[in-house]
Amino acid sequence: MLARQYLRENSEIVKEAIKNRNMGEGEVVVKLLQIDEKWRVMKAQCDDLRHERNKVSTLIGNLKSKGENEAAEKAIAQSSGLKVELEKLEENAKALEEELKKGLLELPNVPHESVPTGMDESDNVEIRRVGFENLREFPEDIVPHYDLGVRLDIIDEMRGAKTTGSGFYFLKGEGARLEHALISLMLDIHREQGYIELIPPIPVSSASMTGTGQFPKFVNDAYKIEGEDLWLCPTAEVPVTNMYSEEILLDEDLPIKHQAYTPNFRREAGEHGTETRGIVRVHQFNKVELVNFTRPDSSYEQLELLVNDAEEVLKKLQLPYRVISLCTGDLTFSSAKTYDIEIWTPIGNNEEKNDGRWLEVSSASNFEDFQARRAGLRYRPKRHESADYIHTLNASGLALPRVMVAILEYYQNADGTVEIPQVLRPYMGGLERIEGSDPIGESAVGAGLRN
C-alpha cells in the first residue's frame, strides 16, 4: 500500500505509474486526493470542536466552584451540543477514512526507476541466457510431456479431472518420485544458501491475503473455504510474509530468509486456450517459495541475490533458461521490480516440434514497503529510534510442474524414456532414467505395448 503522504507529495508519479501499468490515466488518484483533503479538513474541525469542548468543560468547573449554577447549566447545554456535533463529525470522518483506505488498497505499487517502460510481455528485457552452450542432442521427434506422461503412465489428467475437476491431475510412480526428488533438492540447495525452513498453514485469512496484495484485486482467483474467513493458499508468500505482521523486528534480525514448500491453489489457469493440455497451467501445484525480509537500503542488492538463489536450482539440473526484467505493463500489482526466470524446452508452442518455448518457473520481486504497510511489518533500525517499514521480497524456488515439464521434454530419449538429471539420482535411489509402468484397468486393454 502506498503511504498517504507519498500520494500527496508524488501524485503525478503515481498517476504515471498507473498509466504505465495500463490501468487507466490515474483518475483514481485525483479522487483519492479529494477524499483525503475532505478528511483532513474534517479532522481539523474535529480537533477544533474537541478543543472548544475542553474549554467549555473547564468553564463549567469554574462556574460551579463559584456557585454560578445558572451559567454552569448553560455551559453544560453548550457542551452537550458540541458533543453531538463532534460525534456526527467523527462518524463522517471515519467513513471518509475507510473510503480512503479502501481506495489506497486498490492502488498498485510504483515501479522502480530501473524497470523498463512497456505495454506487455513483448516489452520485457532479456538480461541473460544460461546453459545454451552445451545443449543435449534431441530425438528427431520429441513427444510433448502430456502425451509422454500417458505413455509412461506417470501423469494422469483424466483421473484427476474425474476426482476433482479440470486443472487437477495425479502424478504416479516415477512421476511422483521425480517431483518428491525435486522438492528435496530445492530445500537442500536453499538451506545451504541460508534459508530457514518453514511448514506454514495452508488456509490463510482475508487479512493475510490483503497483506500481500492478493486482495482485493484477485479475490475471484482464490478458493474460498465455505463458512470460514479462510482461503486455500495461492502461494506460500501469503502465510510466510504475514507471519511477522504487526510485529517490530530488530535491525540485527535482518535480513531474514525463509523457504517454504506448499501445495498452491488458484482458480485462474492462464489465458483461455493457452497450454490447456498437460500440467503447465493447473489449479493445484507444488512450489518451494523463498521470502526475504530486509532493510530498505539493501533490498535491491538482496533482489539480485534472490535471483541467483533461484537460478542455482536450474544450474544444478543443467536445464537451459533465461532471466528477464519485466516491463511496467507486465509487473504484478504489488511489485516494484520483478525478474522472471524462464526455462526453455525443445518443444514449441502449438505443438510445433523442436523450435522451443519458454516457461516461467520463478518471479523474483522486490515489493519495497508496499506489503509491509498493508501487513504492519516494521523493524527498529536502532534501539532508541522509531520503527520503520521493512522491505519484502519473494521468489519461487521453483514452481514444480513446469520444471517437471522441462525435464520430461528436455531429457527425453529416442526410445521414449527420460534421462534423470545427475543431481536428482541420489534422491531417487540411484535411478538413472524414467521408463514408466503399464497402465491399470480395463481402459488399458487393447492399448498395445509402450514403445
Side-chain angles (χ1 to χ4, degrees):
M1 182 167 64
L2 300 179
R4 295 184 193 182
Q5 190 70 22
Y6 182 89
L7 184 65
R8 293 169 193 155
E9 297 175 356
N10 300 279
S11 59
E12 293 304 315
I13 292 175
V14 178
K15 284 194 281 189
E16 185 69 15
I18 291 171
K19 183 178 179 180
N20 289 339
R21 284 176 170 272
N22 305 321
M23 296 177 67
E25 296 296 320
E27 303 91 340
V28 64
V29 174
V30 176
K31 180 182 176 182
L32 288 176
L33 288 174
Q34 290 171 345
I35 296 170
D36 181 55
E37 180 62 26
K38 289 180 183 177
W39 174 80
R40 285 193 288 166
V41 169
M42 205 168 288
K43 200 71 174 170
Q45 291 173 341
C46 287
D47 292 340
D48 290 342
L49 281 175
R50 284 192 201 93
H51 180 66
E52 187 177 351
R53 190 164 178 243
N54 288 337
K55 286 173 60 178
V56 173
S57 295
T58 302
L59 176 62
I60 292 169
N62 291 335
L63 291 171
K64 284 186 175 182
S65 67
K66 294 177 181 179
E68 299 179 21
N69 294 331
E70 185 176 345
E73 289 300 321
K74 288 182 180 180
I76 290 171
Q78 182 185 2
S79 178
S80 297
L82 288 171
K83 179 183 178 182
V84 171
E85 187 179 354
L86 178 60
E87 287 176 346
K88 184 177 180 180
L89 205 57
E90 285 178 332
E91 186 177 336
N92 291 336
K94 184 178 180 182
L96 279 176
E97 187 167 18
E98 288 299 317
E99 187 178 357
L100 180 60
K101 183 178 179 181
K102 182 180 178 182
L104 287 171
L105 286 173
E106 294 176 351
L107 280 183
N109 204 352
V110 173
H112 188 260
E113 60 185 11
S114 64
V115 173
T117 301
M119 291 292 292
D120 52 39
E121 62 182 15
S122 64
D123 294 318
N124 293 339
V125 176
E126 185 173 306
I127 304 300
R128 57 183 172 272
R129 292 191 181 194
V130 179
F132 285 86
E133 60 280 357
N134 294 306
L135 292 177
R136 294 183 80 231
E137 290 188 16
F138 303 115
E140 185 176 344
D141 292 312
I142 304 174
V143 180
H145 76 279
Y146 41 83
D147 286 335
L148 185 66
V150 173
R151 291 188 189 184
L152 297 175
D153 197 33
I154 59 173
I155 301 175
D156 197 330
E157 294 181 76
M158 180 187 70
R159 289 187 174 102
K162 179 175 64 177
T163 59
T164 309
S166 62
F168 297 88
Y169 61 96
F170 282 97
L171 288 178
K172 299 172 62 179
E174 294 163 347
R177 196 174 181 186
L178 176 62
E179 181 149 320
H180 280 298
L182 283 166
I183 294 166
S184 296
L185 172 68
M186 292 176 190
L187 293 173
D188 283 352
I189 289 173
H190 300 315
R191 189 184 305 112
E192 291 175 2
Q193 294 167 340
Y195 286 84
I196 300 168
E197 292 173 62
L198 297 174
I199 299 178
I202 299 303
V204 289
S205 67
S206 296
S208 292
M209 294 283 270
T210 301
T212 46
Q214 272 73 21
F215 285 1
K217 186 173 177 61
F218 302 110
V219 66
N220 292 328
D221 291 341
Y223 281 98
K224 180 82 166 61
I225 297 177
E226 189 174 353
E228 302 281 350
D229 180 29
L230 292 173
W231 307 77
L232 293 182
C233 174
T235 165
E237 169 196 349
V238 179
V240 176
T241 302
N242 282 279
M243 71 181 295
Y244 299 115
S245 64
E246 305 304 332
E247 294 186 32
I248 298 178
L249 302 173
L250 300 177
D251 183 74
E252 52 262 36
D253 296 327
L254 303 176
I256 298 173
K257 296 167 61 175
H258 283 310
Q259 64 165 327
Y261 154 72
T262 60
N264 305 277
F265 304 87
R266 300 179 189 177
R267 288 187 186 278
E268 194 278 324
E271 299 177 6
H272 180 71
T274 303
E275 297 280 1
T276 54
R277 299 182 65 187
I279 61 173
V280 170
R281 295 186 182 274
V282 289
H283 294 304
Q284 176 185 336
F285 61 98
N286 294 320
K287 180 157 61 81
V288 174
E289 190 76 3
L290 309 177
V291 178
N292 289 187
F293 304 85
T294 188
R295 302 173 188 86
D297 61 1
S298 61
S299 65
Y300 279 95
E301 177 184 353
Q302 195 70 25
L303 177 61
E304 300 298 327
L305 296 173
L306 179 60
V307 176
N308 292 338
D309 289 344
E311 283 183 84
E312 186 64 23
V313 177
L314 296 179
K315 290 177 180 177
K316 297 281 189 184
L317 292 170
Q318 296 183 307
L319 288 167
Y321 68 92
R322 69 177 178 180
V323 178
I324 62 174
S325 179
L326 299 193
C327 71
T328 54
D330 202 27
L331 278 183
T332 60
F333 177 81
S334 300
S335 176
K337 183 172 183 175
T338 295
Y339 292 109
D340 269 7
I341 301 175
E342 296 182 339
I343 204 167
W344 181 84
T345 79
I347 295 183
N349 293 314
N350 302 317
E351 300 188 5
E352 295 175 7
K353 307 295 176 62
N354 298 347
D355 62 344
R357 78 191 188 286
W358 298 101
L359 298 173
E360 176 203 326
V361 292
S362 181
S363 287
S365 301
N366 186 353
F367 305 105
E368 297 184 354
D369 64 3
F370 189 82
Q371 292 180 330
R373 289 181 179 279
R374 297 167 78 104
L377 295 162
R378 295 182 295 165
Y379 83 109
R380 201 176 297 283
K382 295 187 183 301
R383 295 298 176 98
H384 63 278
E385 294 180 352
S386 60
D388 195 6
Y389 289 102
I390 62 176
H391 281 196
T392 61
L393 305 89
N394 82 302
S396 302
L398 307 157
L400 284 152
R402 295 182 182 185
V403 178
M404 291 277 289
V405 169
I407 289 174
L408 294 177
E409 294 180 355
Y410 182 81
Y411 279 104
Q412 191 174 139
N413 298 317
D415 62 359
T417 62
V418 176
E419 203 76 16
I420 295 172
Q422 288 281 349
V423 72
L424 288 178
R425 293 179 185 180
Y427 296 93
M428 298 186 69
L431 196 66
E432 295 183 359
R433 61 184 55 84
I434 295 173
E435 298 179 345
S437 58
D438 293 325
I440 294 173
E442 287 187 341
S443 61
V445 175
L449 297 175
R450 289 181 291 101
N451 293 328

